[in-house]
Structures are given as C-alpha cells and as structure tokens.
Amino acid sequence: MLRSIVGMIVGYVALTLFFFAAFAGAYFGLGVERIFQPDSYEVSPLWWVFSAAISLVASALAGYICAAISKNQRTCELFAGVILVVLILFCIPKMRDRAPHPRAGEVSYMDAMRLTQMPIWMHVLNPVLGALGVLLGARMKKLP
C-alpha cells in the first residue's frame, strides 16, 4: 500500500517538474512570436503540437516511474484516473476564462502562463493525453 502511494506521489512530482521544465524550454526556445497568434494570447498551431507532445511525454514518464516504484499495474491505472481528474479540474477555470487579452510588447513567462488562450478542444484533449500517457508509460515498465 505504501509503495503504491509513494509511486503515485513521485510520479506526479516527476510529471510536474518535467512539464514545467519542458514548457519553459519550449517557451524560451520558440519565442513569443511563434507561440502566440499576432497581438493576442491565442496559441499557434505549432504550440498545439508542442503542448500535446509535452503532455504525453510527461505523463508517460510519470506512469513509468509509478510502475517502477509501485510494481503494480492496478496502481498505475488508479494513477491514470487521478491524473485525468486533476487535469480536468485544472482545465475548467481556463475553459471559463475566454475573454480575449490583447498582447503588446514583451511577455514574461509568468504572464504567458497566466494569460494563454488555448482552444477548447485542447482543454478536452490534455486530460485524455495525460491519462493515456500514464498508462503507456506504465506498460513500458515490465512488472513482475
């Protein structure tokens, strides 16, 4: 039981750290003009691809770590459900805030995270990618 809880916690911490590091790297690597549509905080199609890929890789890493620590496939399935619910809860406020924010001048990383306008379908896709990624990552780890 303790091994399962630790596996989920460490997996979630790894997901969060990888997620923020990868998004920060992509943000600074691509630059504001390639991430956002002109004069707005609506993201570009290029960012859709990066966002989906980062979400899938981060959650697969979390699933792999959870499986390695817990050594239990059922724990990983429960973890995938937890990730699905947590990501839905994170997306709901962003889906409600649809007011356009004009973008002008330099944009700090924190402002970009706070004001980013993703299409509704991306808010629906991210939790699904998160749960699927956890399951895929867990399957990559051979369990006894």
Side-chain angles (χ1 to χ4, degrees), residues 19 23 26 30 43-58 116 118 122-123 125-126 129:
F19 188 81
F23 270 107
L30 291 173
V43 294
S44 68
L46 176 64
W47 191 252
W48 300 343
V49 174
F50 270 89
S51 177
I54 290 169
S55 295
L56 190 60
V57 171
T116 296
M118 298 280 272
M122 280 297 291
H123 290 296
L125 181 64
N126 278 334
L129 283 177

Side-chain angles (χ1 to χ4, degrees), residues 70-83:
S70 71
K71 300 185 184 331
N72 185 327
Q73 188 65 33
R74 290 303 247 177
T75 298
C76 297
E77 292 167 1
L78 175 63
F79 184 44
V82 168
I83 292 299

Side-chain angles (χ1 to χ4, degrees), residues 40-42 93-102 114-118 120:
S40 99
Y41 284 100
E42 290 182 34
K94 290 297 246 175
M95 290 171 72
R96 288 183 178 172
D97 179 25
R98 302 305 299 165
H101 301 283
R114 185 174 50 86
L115 297 171
T116 296
Q117 294 286 316
M118 298 280 272
I120 294 288

Side-chain angles (χ1 to χ4, degrees), residues 15 18 30 50 57 63 66 86 91 103 105-106 118 122 137:
L15 180 146
F18 181 87
L30 291 173
F50 270 89
V57 171
C66 180
V86 166
C91 287
R103 181 173 58 87
E106 290 297 312
M118 298 280 272
M122 280 297 291

